[in-house]
Amino acid sequence: MHRCPRWSLITKVLQPLGTDDLCDAADHLRARRNAEEGELAVLKALGPLGPSLHESELSIPMRDGYQNKARITRPSSPSDVECPLVICFHGGGFIAGTIYNVAPYARGIAKLFNAVVVAPTYRLAPEHPFPQGINDAWDAVHWVAANASMLCSGSPGGFILSGGSAGANFVCVLAELAKTAKLEPALTGIWSCMPVLFTEDEESRHTIPQKYKHLWFSHEQVVSTPVINNETARKLCQYYNPDLKSALWSPFNANFPFQGLPPTFIQVCGKDVIRDDGLIYEKMLSDNGTKTRLNVYPGLPHCFWAFIPQYRVSKEFMVDVALGFAWLLRKRVDPAEAANAMIFPEPT
């Protein structure tokens, strides 16, 4: 079997994680509490904001009158330079996650690119199964778009939709919805990190285009992983309970998908049961004329940087996020500057 040149290092890196799934979702309330505690610990480890940034919280109204929280990270002083507007949806397997989940990315992106980053929440499964989460996310996108000039003190210098894991699922779906609805301002870029787009169900497998079916085997290949194994992935899907034929679950169910989309930055982990979802998504986009940028992290599990932030490969991942945003925004960023701004701290 072919091994990545860094396989011995990767094996050493993964050793402290053990063999049990660190994202065990058998008890969704316990998993939610654990995730929230972890996010608050990371926020504490990040430390106070420097003088160049400001954070605030507000509520975004949903279509049914419910108010979802959102956290905004922005430059402290208004600038004459147009600022990019970024929406970042947290992950958490559709059952967990808070407004603090994306703080490490939000702070770094705001600092590096003079951006305003909005991190909305959405109602969580199983109390609020599909399509509540994606509907909330779409309502949040509408609200941010409608308030873009207020959030950016003028015209935004780019409008990017971003998210990881469950949030990346939303991003892929929302990109199609925004295109169909002719959202204004129009999206100028997408960051989809570890998107989940298919399940093991035959109904879902049928949505994979025939020419790409041979590329979808990570569920069978990745039988042992310390972060979200097949059993956990199944449980999370049961909690969310999506309609596998709906365009609100996967862009592969949309009408005329993958055409006319903005440049898309995708990151995928090699030792991840949903690895091939992202790889096929990137292939489908590029084959339909969308500009794509793809980073793959061989041998590493889902969201590895959050569990082993002290390792070099995790720091490299965070720099890659900055470089990907620079690509989306058509800007240059020094990797050393990115490393100083994009920090996922080790909780104490």
Side-chain angles (χ1 to χ4, degrees):
M1 178 185 293
H2 174 70
R3 293 291 192 188
C4 166
R6 295 197 296 176
W7 188 257
S8 59
L9 174 60
I10 290 170
T11 302
K12 180 181 178 182
V13 166
L14 295 183
Q15 228 171 10
L17 298 183
T19 56
D20 294 333
D21 191 346
L22 297 173
C23 293
D24 181 15
D27 181 341
H28 78 277
L29 291 177
R30 183 178 65 182
R32 189 178 297 165
R33 286 193 301 271
N34 290 342
E36 183 172 352
E37 290 171 2
E39 291 166 14
L40 289 173
V42 167
L43 186 67
K44 181 179 179 181
L46 276 172
L49 278 176
S52 64
L53 296 180
H54 174 73
E55 287 175 331
S56 60
E57 297 178 11
L58 51 72
S59 295
I60 297 178
M62 301 291 104
R63 66 189 69 180
D64 60 359
Y66 188 82
Q67 301 275 325
N68 272 325
K69 287 184 178 181
R71 186 173 173 89
I72 300 178
T73 306
R74 65 190 336 148
S76 296
S77 302
S79 171
D80 294 334
V81 180
E82 289 186 333
C83 69
L85 181 57
V86 178
I87 304 177
C88 193
F89 289 103
H90 67 77
F94 306 104
I95 68 167
T98 72
I99 54 176
Y100 309 115
N101 176 283
V102 300
Y105 322 110
R107 290 187 179 186
I109 292 163
K111 185 174 182 179
L112 287 169
F113 303 108
N114 193 47
V116 173
V117 183
V118 182
T121 52
Y122 47 88
R123 281 169 278 187
L124 301 171
E127 296 88 348
H128 303 283
F130 177 89
Q132 189 66 71
I134 185 62
N135 283 341
D136 284 359
W138 183 224
D139 290 349
V141 170
H142 265 291
W143 185 90
V144 172
N147 291 277
S149 59
M150 177 271 290
L151 291 166
C152 281
S153 300
S155 299
F159 189 11
I160 294 179
L161 201 56
S162 63
S165 196
N169 168 272
F170 288 174
V171 164
C172 297
V173 170
L174 293 169
E176 296 290 346
L177 293 178
K179 177 186 69 177
T180 302
K182 295 182 170 56
L183 183 74
E184 287 293 336
L187 297 176
T188 61
I190 303 291
W191 174 43
S192 182
C193 182
M194 310 171 301
V196 52
L197 301 171
F198 311 113
T199 73
E200 294 178 293
D201 300 77
E202 197 62 32
E203 191 176 34
S204 181
R205 288 174 183 254
H206 279 313
T207 67
I208 304 174
Q210 186 63 42
K211 66 184 290 188
Y212 304 123
K213 285 187 184 294
H214 70 286
L215 300 175
W216 197 76
F217 55 88
S218 51
H219 277 266
E220 292 149 14
Q221 184 187 57
V222 183
V223 293
S224 176
T225 181
V227 187
I228 303 191
N229 58 30
N230 272 304
E231 182 180 353
T232 298
R234 292 186 200 106
K235 192 67 177 176
L236 293 172
C237 191
Q238 288 170 10
Y239 286 139
Y240 189 46
N241 193 27
D243 175 355
L244 299 177
K245 292 183 179 180
S246 172
L248 295 179
W249 159 247
S250 171
F252 285 83
N253 296 323
N255 293 324
F256 310 109
F258 308 108
Q259 300 175 23
L261 292 174
T264 301
F265 169 41
I266 300 165
Q267 289 174 296
V268 171
C269 300
K271 196 177 178 67
D272 189 349
V273 295
I274 62 171
R275 176 195 67 210
D276 296 342
D277 300 34
L279 293 176
I280 291 174
Y281 182 63
E282 189 278 334
K283 185 70 173 169
M284 190 75 170
L285 287 173
S286 61
D287 285 352
N288 280 276
T290 296
K291 293 180 180 179
T292 62
R293 178 185 179 102
L294 175 66
N295 291 150
V296 181
Y297 303 90
L300 292 165
H302 191 84
C303 212
F304 64 90
W305 62 94
F307 295 95
I308 47 174
Q310 70 276 23
Y311 282 90
R312 187 180 67 182
V313 67
S314 298
K315 300 179 191 302
E316 290 172 352
F317 168 86
M318 294 297 289
V319 171
D320 287 344
V321 173
L323 296 177
F325 268 84
W327 176 78
L328 291 173
L329 293 167
R330 299 181 181 180
K331 294 181 180 291
R332 291 185 178 276
V333 64
D334 179 70
E337 184 183 1
N340 288 329
M342 300 292 294
I343 298 172
F344 203 105
E346 185 175 3
T348 54

